[in-house]
Amino acid sequence: MASNAFETYWKVLTDNFTDFQLATIGSFLIHECVFFMSGLPYLILENLNVRNYKLQKKSNPASSQIKCILKLLMYHCLVNLPMIMASYPVFKYMGFRSTLPLPHWSTIVTQIVSYFLIEDFVFYWGHRALHSKWLYQNVHCVHHEYATPFGLTSEYAHPAEILFLGFATILGPALTGPHLLTLWLWMSLRVLETVEAHSGFEFPWSPSRFIPLYGGAEYHDYHHRCVYTDSGNYSSTFIYMDWIFGTDKNYRRMKALKAGSAKDEAPTTNGTKKDS
């Protein structure tokens, strides 16, 4: 019953708008809604000075927050939207469609998992390259203006970086020509992931606590706190690329030291500290 109702609404959508309108303007509007609706709550928590589960004690001044939002709106309209429009012919050539029937759930899951794997691989090498001296000083330093990130800083970057790493996000769908529903679900999940990774908060319900190999906020926050030559943690969603190539060794060393320190300071049952 619910699936029939959804298909009815979907048919109304596709009957009133063209594939181009849905894949470009529609995708842009969905991106903006998911991005700001998921990112603004973290900004509100920071402005309310909520300290529980916050990864850093520092907060960003209101002027920096406003600067971020205004530049995001400008870059989204002048860079992201044209990039979406320019990629449409490739999507269409590869078989993109929006009409019924909707794809089977197994097809959607398989394609989205493959998109995450492709994006992880391409993003890792692109991000690692951005930490070379010239690219960092001339491009990637814009994103690292925020050593204390909040959700919306996830897409705050130099226009060249937006194009460079945006390629990693659209490559998977561009290769497979997915159904519009799959494209929108992938885009929404990718936005939710990167916003959470830049949120500055690690909650008991954060995905990193439940999903194996998922990076999350604490993992990426370390990346923003370190100098560019030693930061490591270049991975996107899943951290296996950092593990394979050893670019998380400093992070793992820091975690081990913290774990050892916490163990040394742990009280015994009578309230005294354990001996080292």
Side-chain angles (χ1 to χ4, degrees), residues 27-273:
S27 295
F28 177 76
L29 292 176
I30 286 179
H31 171 274
E32 296 303 286
C33 289
V34 174
F35 178 72
F36 283 105
M37 288 178 68
S38 62
L40 286 173
Y42 294 116
L43 187 60
I44 292 170
L45 289 175
E46 181 168 307
N47 284 323
L48 291 176
N49 203 30
V50 175
R51 295 298 180 184
N52 291 342
Y53 310 116
K54 195 173 189 306
L55 293 167
Q56 296 189 43
K57 294 180 179 180
K58 297 182 295 182
S59 294
N60 295 281
S63 58
S64 294
Q65 296 170 353
I66 294 171
K67 171 190 171 184
C68 175
I69 293 172
L70 292 177
K71 283 199 171 183
L72 281 170
L73 291 170
M74 178 178 70
Y75 289 154
H76 284 181
C77 292
L78 299 181
V79 181
N80 291 41
L81 181 57
M83 180 173 63
I84 292 171
M85 290 182 166
S87 63
Y88 175 76
V90 177
F91 278 63
K92 195 66 177 176
Y93 177 79
M94 296 301 293
F96 166 85
R97 67 179 183 87
S98 63
T99 55
L100 295 174
L102 298 175
H104 191 266
W105 68 266
S106 61
T107 300
I108 295 174
V109 171
T110 301
Q111 288 186 332
I112 289 179
V113 169
S114 70
Y115 298 163
F116 271 114
L117 294 174
I118 292 170
E119 199 271 344
D120 277 334
F121 181 84
V122 177
F123 182 98
Y124 173 83
W125 291 110
H127 190 192
R128 190 169 174 177
L130 285 169
H131 277 263
S132 61
K133 184 175 181 180
W134 190 91
L135 283 175
Y136 184 89
Q137 292 178 346
N138 292 277
V139 178
H140 195 46
C141 64
V142 174
H143 181 65
H144 278 269
E145 287 178 16
Y146 292 89
T148 306
F150 55 94
L152 297 180
T153 60
S154 57
E155 295 190 2
Y156 180 86
H158 189 284
E161 180 175 346
I162 295 172
L163 294 172
F164 188 32
L165 295 183
F167 171 76
T169 302
I170 66 171
L171 178 60
L175 290 173
T176 61
H179 191 277
L180 179 66
L181 177 61
T182 307
L183 178 65
W184 283 355
L185 286 172
W186 157 243
M187 181 178 62
S188 298
L189 288 172
R190 181 69 184 95
V191 169
L192 291 171
E193 181 278 322
T194 191
V195 168
E196 191 273 334
H198 288 81
S199 67
F201 288 87
E202 182 79 8
F203 298 105
W205 55 85
S206 293
S208 57
R209 298 182 183 271
F210 306 99
I211 303 175
L213 298 177
Y214 185 92
E218 195 258 356
Y219 188 84
H220 195 68
D221 194 80
Y222 174 85
H223 175 83
H224 274 263
R225 283 188 280 119
C226 295
V227 295
Y228 79 93
T229 53
D230 297 319
S231 58
N233 290 21
Y234 302 122
S235 293
S236 177
T237 303
F238 298 100
I239 63 175
Y240 59 90
M241 292 292 289
D242 277 314
W243 180 78
I244 291 172
F245 293 100
T247 44
D248 61 349
K249 61 181 185 297
N250 289 338
Y251 169 76
R252 291 183 180 277
R253 187 180 299 117
M254 179 271 294
K255 293 282 286 184
L257 289 172
K258 287 179 66 175
S261 177
K263 183 178 180 180
D264 290 342
E265 295 177 3
T268 60
T269 54
N270 63 4
T272 60
K273 290 183 179 179

